Tab-separated table of all heavy atoms in Angstrom:
chain	number	residue	atom	x	y	z
U	1	LEU	N	-0.201	18.425	33.247
U	1	LEU	CA	0.830	18.728	34.238
U	1	LEU	C	1.948	17.690	34.213
U	1	LEU	O	3.122	18.012	34.404
U	1	LEU	CB	0.211	18.805	35.632
U	1	LEU	CG	-0.583	20.073	35.930
U	1	LEU	CD1	-1.371	19.931	37.231
U	1	LEU	CD2	0.349	21.287	36.021
U	2	LYS	N	1.583	16.442	33.951
U	2	LYS	CA	2.587	15.380	33.934
U	2	LYS	C	3.582	15.590	32.802
U	2	LYS	O	4.762	15.271	32.920
U	2	LYS	CB	1.908	14.019	33.818
U	2	LYS	CG	2.734	12.880	34.393
U	2	LYS	CD	1.906	11.627	34.571
U	2	LYS	CE	2.727	10.534	35.259
U	2	LYS	NZ	1.958	9.288	35.412
U	3	TYR	N	3.114	16.123	31.699
U	3	TYR	CA	4.012	16.431	30.591
U	3	TYR	C	5.064	17.466	31.005
U	3	TYR	O	6.135	17.545	30.411
U	3	TYR	CB	3.226	16.974	29.400
U	3	TYR	CG	2.731	15.913	28.455
U	3	TYR	CD1	1.372	15.752	28.215
U	3	TYR	CD2	3.613	15.073	27.775
U	3	TYR	CE1	0.905	14.779	27.335
U	3	TYR	CE2	3.156	14.097	26.902
U	3	TYR	CZ	1.800	13.962	26.683
U	3	TYR	OH	1.341	13.004	25.820
U	4	THR	N	4.745	18.295	32.000
U	4	THR	CA	5.685	19.333	32.452
U	4	THR	C	6.530	18.867	33.632
U	4	THR	O	7.292	19.656	34.192
U	4	THR	CB	4.913	20.608	32.869
U	4	THR	OG1	4.234	20.377	34.113
U	4	THR	CG2	3.910	21.023	31.812
U	5	GLY	N	6.359	17.614	34.043
U	5	GLY	CA	7.135	17.089	35.168
U	5	GLY	C	6.495	17.296	36.514
U	5	GLY	O	7.137	17.110	37.549
U	6	VAL	N	5.220	17.669	36.539
U	6	VAL	CA	4.516	17.917	37.805
U	6	VAL	C	3.638	16.712	38.134
U	6	VAL	O	2.785	16.318	37.326
U	6	VAL	CB	3.651	19.197	37.737
U	6	VAL	CG1	2.961	19.444	39.070
U	6	VAL	CG2	4.519	20.390	37.356
U	7	GLN	N	3.824	16.143	39.315
U	7	GLN	CA	3.101	14.945	39.728
U	7	GLN	C	2.042	15.278	40.784
U	7	GLN	O	2.244	16.152	41.624
U	7	GLN	CB	4.083	13.931	40.327
U	7	GLN	CG	5.293	13.624	39.459
U	7	GLN	CD	4.942	12.815	38.240
U	7	GLN	OE1	4.010	12.019	38.277
U	7	GLN	NE2	5.683	12.993	37.155
U	8	ALA	N	0.941	14.561	40.738
U	8	ALA	CA	-0.099	14.719	41.763
U	8	ALA	C	0.392	14.132	43.080
U	8	ALA	O	0.983	13.056	43.113
U	8	ALA	CB	-1.377	14.006	41.319
U	9	GLU	N	0.139	14.856	44.178
U	9	GLU	CA	0.548	14.403	45.501
U	9	GLU	C	-0.634	14.449	46.458
U	9	GLU	O	-1.341	15.457	46.529
U	9	GLU	CB	1.686	15.273	46.043
U	9	GLU	CG	2.944	15.189	45.191
U	9	GLU	CD	4.079	16.034	45.748
U	9	GLU	OE1	4.075	17.247	45.467
U	9	GLU	OE2	4.941	15.498	46.448
U	10	ASN	N	-0.851	13.361	47.186
U	10	ASN	CA	-1.967	13.290	48.121
U	10	ASN	C	-1.656	14.115	49.371
U	10	ASN	O	-0.606	13.955	49.992
U	10	ASN	CB	-2.240	11.841	48.513
U	10	ASN	CG	-3.573	11.689	49.214
U	10	ASN	OD1	-4.613	12.022	48.658
U	10	ASN	ND2	-3.562	11.199	50.446
U	11	ALA	N	-2.564	14.997	49.748
U	11	ALA	CA	-2.359	15.867	50.912
U	11	ALA	C	-2.844	15.179	52.184
U	11	ALA	O	-3.977	14.697	52.236
U	11	ALA	CB	-3.099	17.186	50.710
U	12	GLU	N	-1.992	15.154	53.205
U	12	GLU	CA	-2.311	14.483	54.458
U	12	GLU	C	-1.857	15.321	55.642
U	12	GLU	O	-0.996	16.184	55.506
U	12	GLU	CB	-1.602	13.116	54.505
U	12	GLU	CG	-1.958	12.200	53.346
U	12	GLU	CD	-1.002	11.022	53.222
U	12	GLU	OE1	0.036	11.020	53.933
U	12	GLU	OE2	-1.283	10.114	52.438
U	13	ASP	N	-2.449	15.051	56.811
U	13	ASP	CA	-1.967	15.716	58.014
U	13	ASP	C	-0.761	14.956	58.562
U	13	ASP	O	-0.293	13.988	57.953
U	13	ASP	CB	-3.090	15.863	59.048
U	13	ASP	CG	-3.572	14.525	59.611
U	13	ASP	OD1	-2.903	13.494	59.401
U	13	ASP	OD2	-4.626	14.525	60.270
U	14	SER	N	-0.255	15.375	59.713
U	14	SER	CA	0.946	14.756	60.277
U	14	SER	C	0.701	13.319	60.722
U	14	SER	O	1.646	12.567	60.967
U	14	SER	CB	1.454	15.588	61.459
U	14	SER	OG	0.449	15.716	62.448
U	15	GLU	N	-0.580	12.920	60.818
U	15	GLU	CA	-0.919	11.538	61.182
U	15	GLU	C	-1.330	10.723	59.954
U	15	GLU	O	-1.894	9.644	60.078
U	15	GLU	CB	-2.050	11.540	62.217
U	15	GLU	CG	-1.673	12.219	63.527
U	15	GLU	CD	-2.821	12.249	64.517
U	15	GLU	OE1	-3.943	11.820	64.144
U	15	GLU	OE2	-2.608	12.683	65.650
U	16	ARG	N	-1.074	11.287	58.764
U	16	ARG	CA	-1.337	10.637	57.480
U	16	ARG	C	-2.829	10.468	57.181
U	16	ARG	O	-3.228	9.586	56.411
U	16	ARG	CB	-0.612	9.287	57.376
U	16	ARG	CG	0.890	9.397	57.551
U	16	ARG	CD	1.589	8.084	57.248
U	16	ARG	NE	1.620	7.834	55.793
U	16	ARG	CZ	2.573	8.301	54.973
U	16	ARG	NH1	3.546	9.037	55.459
U	16	ARG	NH2	2.541	8.023	53.701
U	17	LYS	N	-3.654	11.322	57.759
U	17	LYS	CA	-5.077	11.329	57.421
U	17	LYS	C	-5.301	12.293	56.256
U	17	LYS	O	-4.670	13.355	56.183
U	17	LYS	CB	-5.926	11.782	58.613
U	17	LYS	CG	-5.995	10.797	59.763
U	17	LYS	CD	-6.908	11.334	60.853
U	17	LYS	CE	-7.018	10.378	62.027
U	17	LYS	NZ	-7.885	10.933	63.095
U	18	ASP	N	-6.226	11.947	55.365
U	18	ASP	CA	-6.556	12.839	54.252
U	18	ASP	C	-7.140	14.143	54.774
U	18	ASP	O	-7.927	14.144	55.728
U	18	ASP	CB	-7.570	12.168	53.319
U	18	ASP	CG	-6.970	11.003	52.548
U	18	ASP	OD1	-5.803	11.107	52.137
U	18	ASP	OD2	-7.676	9.995	52.367
U	19	ILE	N	-6.755	15.243	54.141
U	19	ILE	CA	-7.282	16.537	54.580
U	19	ILE	C	-8.140	17.217	53.510
U	19	ILE	O	-8.819	18.201	53.799
U	19	ILE	CB	-6.152	17.486	55.042
U	19	ILE	CG1	-5.029	17.555	54.016
U	19	ILE	CG2	-5.621	17.030	56.391
U	19	ILE	CD1	-3.876	18.460	54.421
U	20	PHE	N	-8.106	16.694	52.285
U	20	PHE	CA	-9.030	17.142	51.247
U	20	PHE	C	-10.065	16.034	51.088
U	20	PHE	O	-9.724	14.921	50.687
U	20	PHE	CB	-8.307	17.388	49.920
U	20	PHE	CG	-7.462	18.631	49.899
U	20	PHE	CD1	-6.196	18.641	50.468
U	20	PHE	CD2	-7.938	19.798	49.315
U	20	PHE	CE1	-5.412	19.781	50.460
U	20	PHE	CE2	-7.167	20.954	49.297
U	20	PHE	CZ	-5.898	20.945	49.877
U	21	ASN	N	-11.314	16.325	51.410
U	21	ASN	CA	-12.360	15.307	51.410
U	21	ASN	C	-13.313	15.484	50.231
U	21	ASN	O	-13.746	16.598	49.942
U	21	ASN	CB	-13.142	15.368	52.723
U	21	ASN	CG	-12.266	15.029	53.918
U	21	ASN	OD1	-11.852	13.890	54.099
U	21	ASN	ND2	-11.978	16.029	54.743
U	22	THR	N	-13.657	14.383	49.590
U	22	THR	CA	-14.570	14.426	48.447
U	22	THR	C	-15.999	14.074	48.855
U	22	THR	O	-16.845	13.844	48.004
U	22	THR	CB	-14.088	13.457	47.345
U	22	THR	OG1	-13.970	12.138	47.906
U	22	THR	CG2	-12.736	13.888	46.800
U	23	LYS	N	-16.239	14.044	50.178
U	23	LYS	CA	-17.573	13.788	50.707
U	23	LYS	C	-17.888	14.814	51.794
U	23	LYS	O	-17.007	15.520	52.274
U	23	LYS	CB	-17.658	12.368	51.292
U	23	LYS	CG	-17.428	11.265	50.277
U	23	LYS	CD	-17.480	9.892	50.928
U	23	LYS	CE	-17.220	8.787	49.910
U	23	LYS	NZ	-17.239	7.446	50.537
U	24	SER	N	-19.161	14.867	52.190
U	24	SER	CA	-19.572	15.796	53.251
U	24	SER	C	-19.201	15.241	54.616
U	24	SER	O	-18.906	14.044	54.757
U	24	SER	CB	-21.081	16.024	53.186
U	24	SER	OG	-21.763	14.823	53.518
C-alpha cells in the first residue's frame, strides 16, 4: 500500500482512545 501512496492511520475515538483492540 505504501508503494501506492497509502499510509496506515491509527483509528481513535474523539478522546484519542484506540478503537481497534488487539486483545480481549
Side-chain angles (χ1 to χ4, degrees):
L1 284 169
K2 206 166 185 182
Y3 271 120
T4 72
V6 181
Q7 308 289 329
E9 297 181 277
N10 193 59
E12 302 166 351
D13 67 13
S14 58
E15 297 178 355
R16 302 188 74 86
K17 290 182 180 179
D18 290 322
I19 49 181
F20 287 80
N21 296 290
T22 56
K23 298 178 181 179
S24 67

